[in-house]
Amino acid sequence: MTYEEYLDEVTTLMTEMYDLTDAAAIKHVMRAQSADYFTLHDDDPAMRTQERAVEDAKTIFKQRNVSKPEIFKK
């Protein structure tokens, strides 16, 4: 999937897995993106899998209320 499709998938998974509104899920994914969490995903298409999207959704949700953007670094 493309980088944009991947971000959409992570967002959708967050709404489904955690009963978030679209707006809330988008906010959390955009925050992670701003903190360069998805940089490697952009560079390496092999990272954009369904399984990885599930794991990223879990990680982003877990860190959603942490105020330090560096927590999104892997």
Side-chain angles (χ1 to χ4, degrees), residues 3 6-7 10 14 28-42 47 52-61 63 69-74:
Y3 179 70
Y6 186 79
L7 295 181
V10 173
M14 291 184 72
H28 297 309
V29 170
M30 288 178 66
R31 183 175 175 208
Q33 186 181 23
S34 293
D36 293 330
Y37 180 80
F38 294 107
T39 299
L40 295 177
H41 300 69
D42 193 19
M47 292 182 71
R52 182 68 185 247
V54 170
E55 293 306 313
D56 285 338
K58 289 177 183 178
T59 298
I60 293 167
F61 183 77
Q63 300 297 333
E70 63 269 16
I71 55 89
F72 290 110
K73 305 274 187 186
K74 286 200 169 197

Side-chain angles (χ1 to χ4, degrees), residues 2 5 12 23 25 31 45 49 52 54 58 66-67 71:
T2 68
E5 290 169 336
T12 299
R31 183 175 175 208
T49 65
R52 182 68 185 247
V54 170
K58 289 177 183 178
V66 178
S67 63
I71 55 89

Side-chain angles (χ1 to χ4, degrees), residues 1-36:
M1 64 184 86
T2 68
Y3 179 70
E4 290 77 15
E5 290 169 336
Y6 186 79
L7 295 181
D8 287 344
E9 182 61 21
V10 173
T11 303
T12 299
L13 286 167
M14 291 184 72
T15 64
E16 294 171 353
M17 293 166 55
Y18 301 108
D19 199 30
L20 295 176
T21 64
D22 288 341
I26 289 167
K27 176 183 117 181
H28 297 309
V29 170
M30 288 178 66
R31 183 175 175 208
Q33 186 181 23
S34 293
D36 293 330

